[in-house]
């Protein structure tokens, strides 16, 4: 597993630094090309502002490339009065994007850790999920990235992450099967080796997909 610096720097960001990021004008020109390829006229009234809107949307959709999950987690607290039970955050909404088709992955993440000596503000857990999800992703990698970052920075006794999501690459194209959820999990430390603790976490989050 890589160190904190590697966890916080996605491969795409590294490529961006070495190859040079396209300008905003180039990005808008690419959108115009796609509109023409789709069979429409980017110069008609209803589409004149579409390239600008799409690029601004992409800035929001892929904001995770400019966020460092390691930095998000680094502010922790040790004054816990001896608290040593599970800390869990359920139902964190995920809006990610399939790296194969660039269409949405919509779902929820459930995140938990067993503190060793430090805890982190719960909003930071949600922000870490957001930072990794606002990138081109596959769900399996997203699940591992969230768990690995928490383990690397907080160094808890254990980490558990479960993600349930619907993929529009499957529901709106290809096999066209809406309503199908994919469930992935990553268990580290005590959550992997202690069945009782694992069951406690799964009970807390409603035991998705009968894990």
């Amino acid at each position: 597993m890589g160190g904190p610096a590697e966890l916080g720097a996605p491969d795409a960001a590294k490529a961006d630094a070495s190859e040079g990021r396209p300008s905003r004008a180039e990005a808008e020109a690419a959108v115009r090309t796609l509109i023409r390829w789709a069979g429409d006229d980017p110069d008609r009234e209803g589409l004149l502002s579409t390239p600008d809107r799409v690029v601004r949307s992409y800035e929001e959709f892929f904001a995770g490339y400019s966020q460092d999950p390691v930095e998000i987690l680094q502010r922790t607290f040790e004054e816990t009065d001896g608290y040593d039970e599970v800390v869990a955050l359920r139902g964190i909404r995920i809006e990610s994007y399939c790296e194969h088709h660039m269409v949405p992955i919509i779902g929820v993440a459930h995140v938990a850790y067993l503190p060793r000596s430090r805890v982190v503000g719960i909003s930071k857990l949600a922000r870490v999920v957001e930072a990794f999800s606002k990138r081109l992703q596959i769900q399996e990698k997203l699940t591992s990235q969230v768990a690995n970052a928490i383990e690397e920075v907080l160094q808890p006794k254990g980490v558990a992450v479960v993600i349930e999501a619907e993929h529009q690459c499957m529901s709106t194209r290809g096999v066209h099967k809406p309503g199908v959820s994919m469930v992935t999990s990553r268990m580290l430390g005590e959550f992997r080796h202690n069945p009782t603790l694992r069951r406690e976490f799964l009970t807390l989050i409603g035991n998705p997909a009968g894990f």
Side-chain angles (χ1 to χ4, degrees):
M1 183 188 302
E6 293 173 336
L7 283 169
D11 293 342
K14 295 177 184 177
D16 179 50
S18 62
E19 298 175 10
R21 184 176 184 177
S23 68
R24 187 183 187 88
E26 289 173 317
E28 291 184 10
V31 176
R32 289 175 60 85
T33 297
L34 286 173
I35 292 171
R36 288 197 300 271
W37 178 85
D40 214 320
D41 178 9
D43 291 319
R44 72 175 176 85
E45 183 181 10
L47 293 174
L48 280 175
S49 298
T50 296
D52 172 65
R53 293 191 186 103
V54 170
V55 171
R56 283 191 284 115
S57 295
Y58 269 39
E59 288 174 341
E60 183 175 343
F61 295 161
F62 303 118
Y65 286 112
S66 63
Q67 298 171 357
D68 184 350
V70 171
E71 183 179 338
I72 291 170
L73 289 168
Q74 282 180 337
R75 184 177 179 184
T76 58
F77 308 92
E78 295 186 2
E79 294 182 4
T80 62
D81 204 20
Y83 185 86
D84 60 358
E85 299 293 335
V86 173
V87 177
L89 201 59
R90 302 183 303 177
I92 306 167
R93 180 173 169 83
I94 283 178
E95 298 173 3
S96 193
Y97 300 87
C98 167
E99 66 181 39
H100 301 138
H101 303 96
M102 296 182 71
V103 294
I105 300 169
I106 305 296
V108 294
H110 313 288
V111 178
Y113 69 100
L114 186 63
R116 186 179 303 277
S117 60
R118 300 182 297 162
V119 296
V120 68
I122 58 172
S123 67
K124 302 301 190 295
L125 297 177
R127 287 184 61 199
V128 166
V129 172
E130 176 109 335
F132 282 121
S133 64
K134 293 290 189 179
R135 301 174 182 182
L136 294 170
Q137 280 288 14
I138 61 172
Q139 187 174 324
E140 298 91 335
K141 181 180 178 182
L142 172 59
T143 307
S144 291
Q145 285 178 324
V146 173
N148 292 345
I150 295 170
E151 181 187 48
E152 186 75 27
V153 181
L154 299 186
Q155 298 183 355
K157 295 178 183 177
V159 181
V161 176
V162 170
I163 293 178
E164 310 169 72
E166 182 173 334
H167 294 237
Q168 291 195 15
C169 58
M170 180 176 176
S171 63
T172 62
R173 59 162 300 282
V175 296
H176 289 275
K177 298 296 180 184
V180 177
S181 293
M182 179 175 175
V183 183
T184 50
S185 68
R186 174 76 161 162
M187 306 286 174
L188 301 174
E190 288 295 313
F191 287 98
R192 177 182 289 270
H193 303 299
N194 186 330
T196 301
L197 189 65
R198 184 188 185 103
R199 283 195 298 271
E200 178 184 348
F201 167 64
L202 294 174
T203 298
L204 284 172
I205 67 172
N207 200 21
F211 263 102

